[in-house]
Amino acid sequence: MARRLKLFSDGGCRPYPGRLEAAVVIRGRPQFFDELGTGSNADAEWRAPLCAVAIARDFGLEDVEFVGDSLEMVRQANRAMATGYADSGHAAAWLLHCYPTSDHSVGAGHSFRHR
């Protein structure tokens, strides 16, 4: 059985609050995003996995494991994927990015893990 591909993501802002930045690592190669608007660290932590979803789509990946370092964000993302219910605007955006259609085909193999 093939191992799931892991996409690592992290976000931050400078200064606080300030310009949002994110990085996603896929197959050992970092991708940087710095045109994400302004906001808080929480906003940046949520933007990073959204960038990872976009990369997964660009590569045609359907069964990936997203890894992030914000425990609260990871818990909310997993809860949203498990229940289909978003308890924050960030979690709602996560659901829309993972499941843009009603058939849940794009995000069906996704999982999110804290690291």
Side-chain angles (χ1 to χ4, degrees), residues 78-114:
N78 281 326
R79 187 169 42 250
M81 286 189 300
T83 65
Y85 172 76
D87 54 4
S88 73
H90 290 117
W94 172 252
L95 280 177
L96 288 173
H97 275 74
C98 286
Y99 304 112
T101 62
S102 61
D103 68 1
H104 291 196
S105 61
V106 174
H110 296 347
S111 67
F112 213 122
R113 187 167 62 88
H114 176 256

Side-chain angles (χ1 to χ4, degrees), residues 43-89:
D43 296 326
E45 289 291 354
W46 275 100
R47 284 296 193 93
L50 298 180
C51 293
V53 169
I55 288 174
R57 280 208 185 93
D58 289 347
F59 280 87
L61 305 173
E62 294 182 1
D63 187 23
V64 299
E65 181 176 356
F66 297 103
V67 181
D69 68 340
S70 170
L71 182 58
E72 182 58 26
M73 186 268 305
V74 169
R75 285 179 177 162
Q76 287 182 22
N78 281 326
R79 187 169 42 250
M81 286 189 300
T83 65
Y85 172 76
D87 54 4
S88 73

